[in-house]
Amino acid sequence: MKEPFDFVEMKIPAKPEYVGVARLTTSGIAHRVGFSYDDIEDLKVAVSEAITNAVQHAYDEGEQGEITIGYGLYVNRLEVMVADRGDSFNLKKIKEEIGPYSNGEAVEELREGGFGLFLIDALMDKVEINNSNGVIVVMTKYLHKNEVGQNGDQISTTQ
């Protein structure tokens, strides 16, 4: 049996000034699903990073590109897809270059680039990247209904 879900899609120009629009949309949709404030902040950062990567790397300067953002709203999770039709990249090479960082590395020697993908992977429960025709990043965040309270001595249920 197919799992029921709602789908919301938006298209934005691949320009930095529209990243904030997507952040606000992500916040509203995540609130609708029932995520906590902290999880909503994580989702906003992850979605912003994915869109910023598309803005910076997908299209050549002067090219009018477009980014599609799709939200799959399920009972227990939110799936966010960020897709562009720009240049693809070598995912294996990027993954080799981005990490992990070790505690012994000096700040001056930290590698630049690829940090957005590393951050997305750290903030989301599941990340899939397809770069065969443009780049499609699918990020999944699950609702965690039972969590330990901030003082650590109780289990709280969020709804």
Side-chain angles (χ1 to χ4, degrees):
M1 185 170 159
K2 194 170 183 177
E3 184 178 7
F5 70 99
D6 291 330
F7 186 76
V8 177
E9 182 179 270
M10 64 186 285
K11 293 183 180 189
I12 60 172
K15 297 178 178 177
E17 55 265 34
Y18 290 96
V19 175
V21 173
R23 283 178 57 90
L24 288 172
T25 303
T26 300
S27 178
I29 288 174
H31 180 74
R32 169 71 183 88
V33 173
F35 282 99
S36 68
Y37 174 81
D38 289 340
D39 284 343
I40 291 172
E41 292 301 310
D42 289 350
L43 280 157
K44 287 166 49 181
V45 170
V47 171
S48 295
E49 288 295 329
I51 294 170
T52 300
N53 281 344
V55 168
Q56 292 178 342
H57 304 294
Y59 302 102
D60 293 328
E61 191 171 321
E63 188 178 1
Q64 299 292 321
E66 190 173 71
I67 299 169
T68 302
I69 304 131
Y71 300 90
L73 292 74
Y74 293 85
V75 171
N76 65 343
R77 69 187 184 280
L78 177 63
E79 292 181 354
V80 184
M81 174 202 68
V82 176
D84 64 65
R85 295 261 180 210
D87 293 334
S88 296
F89 58 88
N90 186 334
L91 181 61
K92 184 178 178 188
K93 182 180 177 203
I94 295 289
K95 280 188 167 184
E96 288 172 357
E97 293 174 352
I98 62 174
Y101 294 102
S102 70
N103 291 338
E105 291 184 74
V107 172
E108 302 84 35
E109 297 173 4
L110 292 178
R111 300 169 296 279
E112 290 183 19
F115 186 70
L117 291 174
F118 180 77
L119 190 58
I120 291 168
D121 195 45
L123 294 174
M124 301 300 287
D125 294 319
K126 182 179 174 187
V127 178
E128 300 169 279
I129 300 173
N130 179 320
N131 62 342
S132 59
N133 184 16
V135 177
I136 301 172
V137 180
V138 180
M139 302 167 281
T140 303
K141 186 84 169 171
Y142 289 92
L143 274 172
H144 301 286
K145 296 196 178 223
N146 295 323
E147 299 177 347
V148 176
Q150 287 199 346
N151 60 7
D153 66 347
Q154 62 183 353
I155 295 175
S156 63
T157 301
T158 57
Q159 198 46 281

